[in-house]
Amino acid sequence: MQDLIASSIKYQQGTLTVLDQYLLPHQQHWHVCNDVETMKDLILTLKIRGAPLIGLGASLLVAHLAEQGMSQSALAVAIDELEATRPTAVNLMHCMAKLRLALVETDYVAAVVSTAEQLFKEDIALCDSMAERGAVLVDKGDNILTHCNTGALATAGVGTALGVIHKAQQRHGDIHVWVDETRPLLQGGRLTAFELERWQIPYTLICDNMAASLMAAGKVDKIFVGADRIAANGDFANKVGTYNLAVLAHFHNIPFYVVAPLTTLDTQTACGANIEIEQRSPNEVRGVSGSFGEAIWAPTNAKVHNPAFDVTPASLVTGWVLDSGVYNQSDIEQGILKKLK
Ligand SMILES: CSC[C@@H](O)[C@@H](O)C(=O)COP(=O)(O)O
């Protein structure tokens, strides 16, 4: 396989390495990943994360294993196991479905390798298209609120919602970003803050429960978020807390945009209620952990509800920024998403 390099994943001279997003921003540690168990663990512990990147990481590993001589039947098992690691983000399923098709080719090694390479390069191009289309919606001087991490760390390219912000800053300058810290796993506080700092885009970090009063004070002009799965009717799943923002944006009359590539569309799923939501460990809510160690502040056995994602209904979305265009409520009602995939 050819060398493929992104912010948080690299395939170089036959070695796959993954930047540990759990340890960022204070430690930059790259894991070598040569086997399915390691990749499963990296995905389950969110060391590799973000809807597009999970699919690409799993694909590069499968291609690497094919090149190393793994049999077709063992590769099929690997694909199934990797696909089962995170149930909400559909990009992983999209990538694994493409690899399954490649696996039945006579020269399956070449087919699997070229599929993984194409998926990686396609993601870079999709990010560029979303950034171009979304940046048009941003005005000079805008205060933009975002949730979770949707930047270069989460994709092979510049990102989805954060890619739009990056492009808008390059184009107009004078953008300021309100960064939701994104409890429980702090992807905003740890990763989005890190990326905005690296890109020298002015930002202010807030706790998730501070967004409402900022909106009421007129300090949020637009909201851009990513998605892990968009259903046929435009409902979408994204990091838990996104739905709160959509309701608040609706109340305060603030434009609310979701940014995602074609690979995030799931037109087989009719509506958001049918999207499986991943439930995660109670300790993520009982306390916090990271490069700084682990602290549990709740009673050790406190009962916990910890869905990793929530579903935002289409009725609360101002625009769907996809790589192919920006779509509004009327486009969605006319079934545009089904025509795109
Ligand atoms: C390009 S990223 C889109 C989504 O994957 C992102 O918003 C998100 O919710 C990530 O969740 P995570 O659990 O950190 O993988």
Side-chain angles (χ1 to χ4, degrees):
M1 186 160 47
Q2 61 185 246
D3 286 357
L4 298 163
I5 302 194
S7 272
S8 62
I9 195 161
K10 285 184 197 160
Y11 192 78
Q12 247 176 334
Q13 296 171 356
T15 303
L16 177 61
T17 51
V18 169
L19 179 62
D20 189 327
Q21 297 198 40
Y22 178 80
L23 295 178
L24 283 177
H26 299 297
Q27 286 178 38
Q28 298 197 20
H29 176 75
W30 288 82
H31 295 273
V32 174
C33 181
N34 285 322
D35 57 79
V36 175
E37 285 313 309
T38 304
M39 181 55 79
K40 277 166 59 183
D41 180 66
L42 291 171
I43 295 174
L44 288 168
T45 53
L46 269 71
K47 294 184 177 87
I48 179 169
R49 51 150 296 281
L53 197 76
I54 297 165
L56 298 175
S59 302
L60 294 186
L61 176 69
V62 171
H64 174 67
L65 294 174
E67 275 193 333
Q68 297 291 305
M70 189 179 260
S71 70
Q72 261 164 308
S73 57
L75 286 168
V77 173
I79 289 171
D80 288 349
E81 285 187 15
L82 289 164
E83 190 179 58
T85 49
R86 295 201 71 188
T88 305
V90 80
N91 311 59
L92 176 60
M93 290 85 184
H94 168 87
C95 291
M96 296 302 102
K98 293 261 177 195
L99 290 175
R100 279 191 193 100
L101 290 177
L103 205 52
V104 296
E105 299 279 324
T106 315
D107 188 355
Y108 68 90
V109 176
V112 164
V113 167
S114 101
T115 301
E117 288 172 348
Q118 273 168 28
L119 286 165
F120 190 93
K121 289 179 195 164
E122 177 196 50
D123 190 62
I124 298 172
L126 292 172
C127 286
D128 288 342
S129 303
M130 286 179 277
E132 283 290 339
R133 294 183 187 281
V136 174
L137 303 166
V138 179
D139 295 304
K140 191 173 171 66
D142 269 352
N143 283 290
I144 298 173
L145 195 148
T146 192
H147 191 66
C148 197
N149 173 263
T150 60
L153 290 169
T155 63
V158 71
T160 60
L162 214 59
V164 167
I165 290 168
H166 181 255
K167 178 60 80 180
Q169 173 71 7
Q170 280 182 334
R171 196 159 287 167
H172 324 288
D174 204 20
I175 304 293
H176 167 260
V177 187
W178 295 110
V179 178
D180 254 5
E181 69 174 351
T182 318
R183 269 291 281 160
L185 293 178
L186 306 170
Q187 289 93 332
R190 293 186 297 106
L191 307 175
T192 300
F194 169 72
E195 291 204 280
L196 290 173
E197 208 149 301
R198 200 165 55 167
W199 290 339
Q200 297 186 319
I201 301 178
Y203 72 92
T204 307
L205 183 59
I206 57 168
C207 297
D208 302 342
N209 50 8
M210 297 167 187
S213 52
L214 282 175
M215 291 187 206
K219 292 187 174 167
V220 178
D221 298 302
K222 278 153 204 158
I223 299 171
F224 285 87
V225 296
D228 284 77
R229 189 185 294 230
I230 303 180
N233 72 341
D235 295 351
F236 73 96
N238 192 47
K239 182 53 56 193
V240 66
T242 302
Y243 176 39
N244 303 38
L245 289 178
V247 173
L248 290 170
H250 187 71
F251 182 81
H252 294 99
N253 216 8
I254 295 169
F256 179 91
Y257 297 102
V258 57
V259 186
L262 182 75
T263 48
T264 303
L265 291 186
D266 175 15
T267 50
Q268 302 298 313
T269 295
C271 64
N274 298 343
I275 299 175
E276 185 183 344
I277 301 294
E278 175 185 0
Q279 291 288 332
R280 295 188 58 86
S281 159
N283 274 355
E284 291 178 355
V285 176
R286 289 184 186 130
V288 74
S289 66
S291 55
F292 41 82
E294 186 181 25
I296 299 285
W297 50 70
T300 323
N301 293 317
K303 192 175 167 200
V304 165
H305 174 58
N306 186 16
F309 303 95
D310 59 22
V311 172
T312 298
S315 57
L316 295 178
V317 180
T318 310
W320 288 256
V321 181
L322 308 185
D323 47 279
S324 52
V326 180
Y327 304 99
N328 60 23
Q329 288 280 339
S330 136
D331 300 319
I332 298 295
E333 278 157 24
Q334 285 167 36
I336 184 82
L337 297 180
K338 280 197 180 143
K339 290 176 201 146
L340 294 175
K341 202 166 184 189

